[in-house]
Amino acid sequence: MGFNVSLSGINAANADLNVTANNVANVNTTGFKESRAEFADLFNATSYGLSRNAMGSGARLSNVAQQFSQGNISQTGRSLDLAVAGEGFFTLNMNGARVYSRAGNFQTDNNGYVVNPQGARLQVFAPNADGTRFDGQLTDLQLLNTDSPPKQSTLVNMAFTLPGNAPAPTVTPFDPADSNTYNHSTGGITVYDSLGVSHTQTSYFVKTGTANEWQVHNYVDGQPAGAPTLLQFSNAGALISPANGDITLAPFTPSTGAGVVNLTLNVAGSTQYGEKFAVRDTRQDGYAAGKLNEISISEQGVVYARYSNGDDKPLGQVALTTFNNPQGLQNQGNSLWVETFSSGNPRVGAPDSSDFGQVQAGALEASTVDLTEQLVNMIVAQRNFQANSQMLSTQDQVTQAIINIR
């Protein structure tokens, strides 16, 4: 009996050493969660409950508990390195099976899918048609290698200040080629047709003989875009006509084969005062085709493809999963876990919502192993092993003494 008790102690100490060794071996493993050996005492089933003086039968390893604490997050600067700051696991698709991980060292495969080193695909919530919501079904995240299509210009926002003391030109009629026939011009504002080809929109301002009144002549690629429009200002210099600031230009058909371009020029906020002409704002809503510059991911896990033309296209929102009992997850190796009955049902949600943590891009979560603590555990387990070995040796000596009695 005594031999078995000491043997169980040796086995328990050996299990403790094995758990500690595994922790130490994974001190640099991304997303690794340290484990803790937990033990329980043993009692002989025949004597249990028969006597309060019953002696125990040794110890056994009752559980190897994973410790899902937050690991340190270190910056890497690589856009596809992700870390979860808070609760939640990355949700992955491994050949049709759902697996979970805290290791965010992702890369792309030959088809552009974002995968971990074992080829499991990162899951995201698919965006809706206009990319403003991400409450769709889970799908594999795939990075687009295609160009961003162009967008045709429809609106030009322009704000300017016309000098309040400007005289009417002495040379008439208006001719854009003769600067004596107008007071000021905006210079060229670049607009785009449906093929992403650029065109130049220019406005020329002519002071009329009436106080606080101007004419604006609008041209596209050197051709008039409709009749001149009358601008009227109050005696305080505020624009009063057109009332909403909108000037509709005549449609023009580019020679590039693109569709008809319909432009609206909005000059709301323009003023007339002072002695100098100034253009304060020129913006338009179109752009040319763009090349993919980078992939960026927000703290809310939204993945954006950013293009050279300034277009940002959302590709999805990283899906995180939590469990009522993370320690019930089954470790599959390679920093992957799968759900079990003990872990409870998975709960999937968006980062930075409810109790889900934030996603940090360009960073990785380090192993939670504290090397100093593990070395102390190793010494303690070693001493336990030695003590149980000594007990085994002592019992052997006692037994030998009994055998030698004459």
Side-chain angles (χ1 to χ4, degrees), residues 124-143:
V124 295
F125 293 105
N128 61 359
D130 59 6
T132 58
R133 296 177 59 185
F134 303 91
D135 50 7
Q137 297 295 318
L138 292 185
T139 185
D140 301 335
L141 176 59
Q142 185 178 26
L143 303 186

Side-chain angles (χ1 to χ4, degrees), residues 12 33 137 200 243 249 283 342 361:
K33 301 301 178 184
Q137 297 295 318
T200 303
L249 306 189
R283 291 173 292 126
S342 298

Side-chain angles (χ1 to χ4, degrees), residues 227-309:
T229 300
L230 191 65
L231 302 179
Q232 293 178 319
F233 297 86
S234 69
N235 57 11
L239 181 69
I240 58 176
S241 179
N244 60 0
D246 285 342
I247 301 173
T248 301
L249 306 189
F252 75 96
T253 303
S255 60
T256 60
V260 176
V261 178
N262 295 284
L263 283 175
T264 298
L265 180 66
N266 183 275
V267 296
S270 297
T271 56
Q272 178 202 249
Y273 46 65
E275 300 179 354
K276 292 184 178 181
F277 172 75
V279 178
R280 292 182 279 108
D281 185 26
T282 55
R283 291 173 292 126
Q284 56 86 38
D285 60 352
Y287 46 77
K291 299 290 185 181
L292 180 64
N293 277 346
E294 63 174 352
I295 299 295
S296 66
I297 303 174
S298 70
E299 291 182 346
Q300 291 73 37
V302 180
V303 183
Y304 292 97
R306 301 194 183 278
Y307 294 89
S308 59
N309 58 6

Side-chain angles (χ1 to χ4, degrees), residues 362-373:
L364 290 175
E365 182 183 9
S367 169
T368 59
V369 174
D370 183 334
L371 190 56
T372 301
E373 178 186 0

